[in-house]
Amino acid sequence: MTIKWIISIAYLVLTFAIPSLGVPSNIYFLFEHSDIFFLVLIIILFHSTFIREFKEVNLKKLFKYSFFSFSVLFLINILNTSFSEGINPNEVNGSLLLFFLNAATYGAFLEEGIFRFCMIDPQANKKQQYISILISSFLFSIVHGGGLSIFFIGIILSFVYIQTKNIWYSIVAHGFYNTIGILIYLISI
């Protein structure tokens, strides 16, 4: 088991599994912001990879994959659910602007770091890639409350990561999808 998988498992356990079991209020703060810890940990441990891959990003290719991803994800949402189904303004802590910025940047970076970068090896053989994609997409779906559309979103973002062998393409595609989804929601309310 690699350090990346250990990070992923620890993230899922500390951020979702333990808090869902019920955590005493005097130690809840340890779990409430554990996602920030994992984001910083990933950046510290893998900063050279992130910097190298960022320098390798091709803007034409980035636009192509972002547009492709968004088109497929948009179609999945049209066929399955509405964009706004997952957003409840009463559950948004703080301002809607902060929620928007979080989903478009920090959330996309953290989730792609955990569910794609740490769980999927784009250099692995096809069988290992498929198994990793299924596990990663399943866990991504569970973290987002389940649902087939979220599972397929995980598969599409995994496909982008494997095809490009560069995490920045899936980060941008994820952030773009979140941004457009929230903007559509805001226009509709």
Side-chain angles (χ1 to χ4, degrees):
M1 184 178 296
T2 69
I3 186 69
K4 289 181 176 182
W5 269 95
I6 293 168
I7 291 169
S8 297
I9 292 167
Y11 168 78
L12 292 168
V13 168
L14 293 175
T15 306
F16 298 101
I18 292 175
S20 69
L21 297 174
V23 176
S25 60
N26 60 337
I27 62 165
Y28 184 74
F29 71 93
L30 293 173
F31 302 98
E32 187 176 22
H33 301 292
S34 62
D35 54 343
I36 295 169
F37 167 78
F38 284 99
L39 178 64
V40 171
L41 181 65
I42 289 171
I43 291 171
I44 290 171
L45 290 177
F46 305 107
H47 68 279
S48 60
T49 303
F50 286 124
I51 291 169
R52 180 183 43 79
E53 289 184 2
F54 183 78
K55 290 177 181 178
E56 295 171 356
V57 169
N58 174 304
L59 290 178
K60 185 177 178 182
K61 191 175 173 182
L62 181 68
F63 179 76
K64 176 181 128 183
Y65 276 99
S66 293
F67 183 76
F68 162 78
S69 300
F70 177 76
S71 300
V72 172
L73 299 174
F74 185 76
L75 182 61
I76 289 169
N77 269 306
I78 287 174
L79 295 174
N80 192 37
T81 61
S82 68
F83 268 99
S84 61
E85 183 178 272
I87 304 170
N88 181 347
N90 298 325
E91 293 178 4
V92 174
N93 295 330
S95 74
L96 203 50
L97 176 63
L98 188 58
F99 174 77
F100 174 77
L101 291 173
N102 179 24
T105 58
Y106 161 79
F109 191 95
L110 174 65
E111 290 177 355
E112 292 308 303
I114 294 291
F115 294 104
R116 258 55 77 188
F117 183 76
C118 287
M119 291 186 169
I120 299 171
D121 179 2
Q123 307 301 329
N125 67 47
K126 292 291 182 198
K127 183 179 177 183
Q128 290 172 326
Q129 287 179 352
Y130 293 142
I131 291 169
S132 295
I133 288 171
L134 290 174
I135 292 169
S136 168
S137 299
F138 174 74
L139 293 171
F140 182 71
S141 175
I142 296 298
V143 164
H144 286 83
L148 200 53
S149 64
I150 301 294
F151 177 76
F152 285 119
I153 289 169
I155 288 177
I156 297 300
L157 292 169
S158 298
F159 168 78
V160 169
Y161 179 49
I162 286 175
Q163 289 298 307
T164 62
K165 295 178 177 34
N166 187 318
I167 194 62
W168 287 101
Y169 292 92
S170 62
I171 289 171
V172 171
H174 190 156
F176 182 63
Y177 172 76
N178 286 354
T179 299
I180 299 299
I182 292 170
L183 288 175
I184 290 171
Y185 169 73
L186 292 174
I187 291 168
S188 71
I189 57 171

